[in-house]
Amino acid sequence: VVVSEEHFIFFRLSSEYDNSFEHHVLASALGCITGVQIKIVDGLWDRISDWITDLECHTTMAGFQHSKRSKCVLVRLITSFCSPFAFALASFLSQDPGEDNDTIKLLSSNISSTLFTRY
């Protein structure tokens, strides 16, 4: 919900600017904000996942580590792909049918800045 609202705010702001450079700056800024949010969620998840996995009562440490890794992969996939999908959906919903749109370029700016910030 938060990510999709941020993207809708981005497209409202970008509609006020006519310059393509300003659109890319806004997309990169949004990507950096999203990357920081992902880092925060990953940090919280590392602490919570130990507790959740411990509740499963694994008998071996290997089983514990496998279960924790499986949950970590799922959470990281969701946090990584949620933002680009929300960006593309918000772009589609906010564009005018007759307007020339450079969504792919903005999406690539957003994804590259998100990945740069996250890793």
Side-chain angles (χ1 to χ4, degrees), residues 18-116:
D18 294 333
N19 190 347
S20 177
F21 175 74
E22 292 168 343
H23 289 181
H24 287 285
V25 169
L26 283 172
S28 296
L30 179 64
C32 289
I33 291 169
T34 304
V36 169
Q37 288 174 338
I38 290 171
K39 292 290 276 185
I40 291 170
V41 168
D42 285 348
L44 290 173
W45 176 250
D46 285 340
R47 293 181 182 166
I48 293 171
S49 66
D50 283 334
W51 179 70
I52 291 173
T53 308
D54 196 34
L55 290 176
E56 295 172 359
C57 297
H58 293 281
T59 55
T60 64
M61 189 59 149
F64 179 87
Q65 292 295 330
H66 175 70
S67 179
K68 183 178 176 183
R69 273 189 227 111
S70 299
K71 289 179 196 67
C72 182
V73 166
L74 183 64
V75 167
R76 288 190 179 187
L77 281 172
I78 290 171
T79 58
S80 294
F81 291 112
C82 179
S83 177
F85 287 136
F87 189 90
L89 180 65
S91 171
F92 176 74
L93 293 176
S94 66
Q95 72 183 1
D96 292 332
E99 183 178 309
D100 187 25
N101 201 343
D102 59 346
T103 303
I104 299 299
K105 292 177 185 175
L106 294 176
L107 183 60
S108 68
S109 294
N110 181 276
I111 290 173
S112 62
S113 60
T114 299
L115 292 176
F116 181 74

